Amino acid sequence: MQDAPFAQVAEQTVGSMFSNVDLTKLTKVAQLMGSMAEGRHFSMYAFDETAEKTISDAGFTAQTPSSEEHPQVGVYVTEQNPSKMGWYIHRTSKVTRSTCGNDGSQTYHVEYKMTNTLENSQIGALTSYILGSGGQGVEKTLIYAPAGGSISNLKTSGGSVTGSRQETLNGKTVYASIATIAPGESVTYSFDVATSTKAVSGLTIDQTPMGWTDSGVTTDTAACSINKQ
């Protein structure tokens, strides 16, 4: 039953974007698409190789971390409880540099926290459409190391986390787990990261988009002062 109104909203939204188009409106749409793509709220893919190269070069195709020069840790989350609980699962991150290597590599300690902000007092007023099974967040979590780098000492605390197993997906190493987070609880992933020797900027987090700005503390992520010839 929900598919029909969702389809109607999508159709009206896209129709409004491209109705009565003039240069001013087209420019605003292009700027918005760029910022949305950067935050992973918008992505495009074409099966025609030539068209896809153009789209990808413009930054409109979301990818896992691929730049050794600008290192990123990828954290991608999929809600496994059929619900709207993703709205209540707030995620914050803290990135702290540990060392700057003479070869240009960098090491960091990362803490990535997911908190179920739903309060037990709210549960009685919400439907199963929103809560799914009991108002728990069940978060399938994939963590990628930066291109040319590695992750070590992965640990979790809080909630219930199964797995944290190392797998290979599309040729890349990924750490996979499922975190179950009850109302009011949190789960924290902590791990160490080593970047490629080609890194020219500090480590950042690439992640599944959120409906808010990450309020976590990100520290000391400027490039190391290494003279690379």
Side-chain angles (χ1 to χ4, degrees), residues 8-229:
Q8 183 180 3
V9 169
E11 182 178 355
Q12 290 180 353
T13 300
V14 175
S16 296
M17 283 177 62
F18 295 104
S19 64
N20 302 316
V21 174
D22 57 21
L23 183 58
T24 299
K25 185 173 184 179
L26 191 60
T27 300
K28 289 182 179 179
V29 169
Q31 292 172 340
L32 181 61
M33 289 169 64
S35 62
M36 289 178 67
E38 185 176 351
R40 281 188 171 265
H41 292 282
F42 175 79
S43 181
M44 296 173 61
Y45 181 86
F47 289 95
D48 179 88
E49 292 184 4
T50 302
E52 173 53 25
K53 185 178 186 309
T54 300
I55 292 170
S56 180
D57 289 348
F60 290 138
T61 299
Q63 302 179 21
T64 54
S66 59
S67 172
E68 293 189 48
E69 291 79 10
H70 303 285
Q72 291 185 309
V73 167
V75 183
Y76 309 115
V77 178
T78 306
E79 180 61 62
Q80 303 297 290
N81 177 9
S83 64
K84 299 300 178 186
M85 284 304 301
W87 175 257
Y88 294 95
I89 306 300
H90 284 211
R91 296 177 261 127
T92 57
S93 56
K94 181 177 181 180
V95 180
T96 306
R97 175 180 284 119
S98 302
T99 64
C100 285
N102 291 329
D103 59 356
S105 64
Q106 309 167 44
T107 62
Y108 295 85
H109 183 71
V110 176
E111 294 182 0
Y112 194 87
K113 185 177 182 180
M114 295 187 286
T115 300
N116 187 342
T117 62
L118 180 68
E119 299 178 4
N120 283 310
S121 60
Q122 297 175 285
I123 292 178
L126 300 175
T127 67
S128 59
Y129 175 78
I130 295 174
L131 297 173
S133 176
Q136 296 186 109
V138 183
E139 314 303 315
K140 182 178 182 180
T141 307
L142 304 181
I143 301 176
Y144 285 77
S150 62
I151 285 176
S152 60
N153 300 322
L154 177 62
K155 300 177 182 178
T156 63
S157 60
S160 172
V161 180
T162 60
S164 292
R165 62 194 182 279
Q166 182 176 325
E167 299 182 354
T168 300
L169 182 62
N170 296 327
K172 294 185 177 182
T173 299
V174 59
Y175 294 84
S177 63
I178 295 180
T180 301
I181 315 171
E185 289 189 346
S186 298
V187 164
T188 300
Y189 290 81
S190 61
F191 50 91
D192 297 319
V193 177
T195 73
S196 165
T197 58
K198 298 178 182 179
V200 296
S201 62
L203 182 71
T204 59
I205 304 290
D206 180 51
Q207 62 183 313
T208 301
M210 302 184 289
W212 55 89
T213 301
D214 182 353
S215 60
V217 179
T218 302
T219 61
D220 197 19
T221 58
C224 286
S225 299
I226 300 296
N227 183 20
K228 297 183 180 180
Q229 302 296 328

